[in-house]
Amino acid sequence: MSRIGIGLRKEHYPYLKQGSPVRVSWFEAITENYMDSKGKPLSMLEKVRENFPVALHGVSLSILGGTFPNPKYIDRWKELIDRIQPFLVSDHLCWTEEGGNYLHDLLPFPFTKEFLDFAVERVDRVQEILQRKILLENVSTYLRFQESEMQEWEFIRELALRSGCGLLLDINNVYVNSKNHGFSAQEYLSSVPWDHVGQIHIAGHTDTGEFLFDTHSRPVSSEVWDLFSQFSSKIKDLPILLEWDDDIPSFLEVEEEALKAEAILSKATVP
């Protein structure tokens, strides 16, 4: 499988339905957009799956949430996985729900030894339920907890090593957090257990002037591409996905942005 993919978005359904040329090699579908629908969205996903590998990426597992697991969510998730046969399954390392109320935000948590034990236990349960490895994504955040006892990359590293889960490493999120919280993005990426990284995300963010906001509404910034290039030797064999979720341009524009990754990696491999 070639390494460059883009997110499957409804704005691009007409283009794909026409059988128009596609240069990327795989698609990532947001799990919740298809697990609750047996109509047009699922039909479109199955049509795409006939010709392309698909990854399922969730936003509502709430693996660190108060009410877990949600049997209804798990059943629908498993049904979609069985139906689509994705080449990988992922969600976010965060919580989105408390007391049965879903907040629709990817919320942070303290980087403590106690919370690490808690997260490892939750990952074990998910992987036992699904009988497969899952990938968890580092999220962008806008606050830190005073209780934290370790750096974000140390927490993620220990989680992967202890649970055996894969990591979906979002380079843009690393950069956003490095600016919002004042750490070195290079140190973060140098400390990641790369043998546990199973997929890369890149995306565009918005600079509010006071902090960086992970909007997925713009082209990838030059700073994020620079990080991508610096760690290209680690990235080169991994599936790479461009996310674009707001102010979505045409399919061809999104595809062109995604293929910049291929060009950077090609240059990086020249002796």
Side-chain angles (χ1 to χ4, degrees):
M1 184 185 73
S2 176
R3 52 200 168 190
I4 308 299
I6 62 174
L8 179 62
R9 302 293 181 262
K10 63 181 176 59
E11 288 79 1
H12 298 154
Y13 287 177
Y15 181 88
L16 296 171
K17 276 184 173 180
Q18 294 170 5
S20 306
V22 173
R23 290 186 292 160
V24 294
S25 301
W26 60 279
F27 288 87
E28 184 183 83
I30 300 297
T31 304
E32 291 79 5
N33 288 349
Y34 302 94
M35 63 191 286
D36 292 326
S37 170
K38 298 295 187 292
K40 183 178 176 181
L42 184 57
S43 296
M44 190 66 216
L45 177 58
E46 290 181 320
K47 180 176 177 59
V48 169
R49 181 66 184 90
E50 290 175 1
N51 299 307
F52 298 94
V54 168
L56 288 179
H57 182 53
V59 295
S60 299
L61 174 62
S62 191
I63 193 168
L64 303 180
T67 307
F68 183 88
N70 179 332
K72 186 176 180 181
Y73 181 95
I74 294 292
D75 287 346
R76 289 181 295 178
W77 192 22
K78 291 175 64 176
E79 181 181 347
L80 183 63
I81 291 171
D82 290 341
R83 192 164 190 156
I84 298 302
Q85 295 295 306
F87 70 90
L88 62 82
V89 174
S90 65
D91 206 291
H92 297 82
L93 184 61
C94 68
W95 60 284
T96 63
E97 170 276 339
E98 176 60 39
N101 297 308
Y102 281 84
L103 306 172
H104 304 293
D105 281 309
L106 306 174
L107 297 170
F109 55 90
F111 303 126
T112 64
K113 294 177 182 176
E114 181 180 6
F115 223 88
L116 177 60
D117 292 339
F118 176 72
V120 169
E121 187 271 334
R122 287 289 178 87
V123 173
D124 286 345
R125 289 173 68 182
V126 171
Q127 295 190 142
E128 183 176 349
I129 289 170
L130 296 184
Q131 289 294 296
R132 65 181 295 164
K133 177 188 288 189
I134 63 167
L135 275 64
L136 290 173
E137 178 181 349
N138 57 302
V139 300
S140 55
T141 59
Y142 309 95
L143 59 84
R144 283 288 197 251
F145 292 83
Q146 292 182 348
E147 295 86 349
S148 290
E149 301 166 337
M150 62 188 87
Q151 298 289 347
E152 178 181 339
W153 56 88
E154 295 172 325
F155 188 98
I156 289 174
R157 179 184 180 84
E158 287 301 310
L159 177 64
L161 295 178
R162 288 178 53 183
S163 73
C165 74
L167 298 177
L168 197 174
L169 185 60
D170 190 311
I171 304 292
N172 179 62
N173 289 352
V174 170
Y175 180 74
V176 165
N177 287 356
S178 75
K179 294 302 177 185
N180 288 345
H181 304 304
F183 61 77
S184 165
Q186 284 82 2
E187 182 177 3
Y188 189 123
L189 293 173
S190 296
S191 303
V192 165
W194 282 92
D195 53 341
H196 284 261
V197 177
Q199 186 185 342
I200 298 293
H201 270 182
I202 48 177
H205 59 260
T206 298
D207 188 345
T208 70
E210 296 181 354
F211 62 93
L212 302 187
F213 191 32
D214 183 30
T215 53
H216 296 188
S217 63
R218 304 168 56 82
V220 179
S221 72
S222 59
E223 294 86 355
V224 172
W225 281 131
D226 285 344
L227 279 175
F228 185 90
S229 179
Q230 289 174 37
F231 288 86
S232 58
S233 64
K234 305 286 189 182
I235 292 171
K236 60 185 178 64
D237 294 326
L238 294 169
I240 300 159
L241 181 106
L242 173 73
E243 294 183 298
W244 204 317
D245 297 308
D246 203 2
D247 297 330
I248 300 175
S250 71
F251 181 90
L252 292 176
E253 290 174 271
V254 173
E255 185 180 55
E256 192 65 29
E257 182 71 9
L259 292 173
K260 290 179 182 176
E262 188 77 63
I264 291 172
L265 292 176
S266 297
K267 292 178 181 176
T269 57
V270 174

